[in-house]
Amino acid sequence: MIFEQIPVGPMQNFAYLVGDEKTGIAAVVDPAWDIEEIIHLAKTSNLRIAFGINTHYHPDHTSGNDDLAKRTGAKIVAHEASSVRKDVSVKDGDVLDVGTLKVKFIHTPGHSPDHVSVLVDNKLMTGDTLFVGECGRTDLPGSSSEQMYESLFNKLMKLSDDTEVYPGHDYGAKPCSTIGYEKAHNYVLKPRTLREFVQFMKEP
């Protein structure tokens, strides 16, 4: 597998290029910025971009969808609840074939209702659900601290400790992490009841 974490745009975003070396087919996760650079990187790796995958509908993760689709023919993939124009709708547990790679979608609402985390082999692209040392905001339209609690503690933290975490923004002390590291070091993930977590997320 070819896997590239790409710093893009003015908001410390990461896009991801995920490619299958066997077939040359690739996907871009969160194609919002610097589309030309991403396409160039794919070409230098002998990859053809077949899919653009959105973790959620916010413009800093989706604004390059149309450009990517126009220039590469990529199909846009998003959760069935997402408001973005999409060619492929997915829901929790769905798997997308990118060449011989199996791309699994985990519905992780909280930051937004349509949010998905994207798992390929042992690499988890968490969008704005989980950052290194933090989690996404829940004070935006459609956000929910209750759903964030469920997504973090009952979905993502149930994954293997060695699962690699690749966030949607470079907000942490380092650009990537693991589930085990986040369990041990992320103050958001300290044991709390749902009620305690909701109150915690209201604090500045």
Side-chain angles (χ1 to χ4, degrees):
M1 178 174 64
I2 296 171
F3 184 87
E4 297 285 348
Q5 182 185 53
I6 311 166
V8 294
M11 300 176 68
Q12 297 177 276
N13 283 73
F14 285 126
Y16 294 92
L17 178 66
V18 181
D20 176 29
E21 292 173 291
K22 296 177 183 178
T23 62
I25 296 175
V28 178
V29 176
D30 285 347
W33 317 93
D34 303 337
I35 298 302
E36 184 172 349
E37 176 188 340
I38 294 170
I39 292 173
H40 176 73
L41 181 60
K43 287 181 178 178
T44 60
S45 299
N46 296 314
L47 295 173
R48 178 179 69 82
I49 298 171
F51 301 99
I53 298 172
N54 297 147
T55 57
H56 61 297
Y57 76 94
H58 291 160
D60 60 317
H61 296 262
T62 65
S63 61
N65 281 358
D66 290 345
D67 191 24
L68 182 74
K70 181 178 180 180
R71 296 177 63 175
T72 68
K75 295 181 178 180
I76 302 302
V77 183
H79 187 264
E80 59 187 3
S82 180
S83 59
V84 302
R85 185 204 65 78
K86 52 190 173 293
D87 303 297
V88 180
S89 295
V90 295
K91 59 184 184 301
D92 187 53
D94 280 356
V95 175
L96 176 72
D97 292 330
V98 178
T100 63
L101 299 176
K102 301 295 184 181
V103 178
K104 182 178 180 180
F105 296 90
I106 305 171
H107 187 210
T108 51
H111 180 69
S112 69
D114 65 322
H115 200 293
V116 290
S117 296
V118 183
L119 182 63
V120 188
D121 288 344
N122 203 41
K123 300 180 185 299
L124 179 71
M125 288 155 279
T126 55
D128 285 7
T129 294
L130 178 65
F131 301 128
V132 175
E134 235 330 334
C135 75
R137 295 172 58 180
T138 58
D139 60 346
L140 301 172
S143 296
S144 166
S145 295
E146 290 84 357
Q147 289 182 337
M148 180 65 83
Y149 181 90
E150 174 72 18
S151 294
L152 290 173
F153 290 98
N154 294 326
K155 288 189 175 179
L156 298 188
M157 293 305 107
K158 300 292 187 183
L159 298 174
S160 172
D161 282 356
D162 64 355
T163 302
E164 299 170 10
V165 173
Y166 293 92
H169 292 271
D170 190 10
Y171 288 164
K174 53 185 181 178
C176 60
S177 179
T178 64
I179 291 294
Y181 181 90
E182 294 307 308
K183 285 180 180 177
H185 297 93
N186 191 328
Y187 76 113
V188 173
L189 300 174
K190 290 180 180 180
R192 294 180 176 90
T193 65
L194 172 58
R195 184 175 179 178
E196 289 170 341
F197 182 82
V198 170
Q199 182 59 40
F200 163 77
M201 291 300 289
K202 292 179 180 177
E203 298 170 2

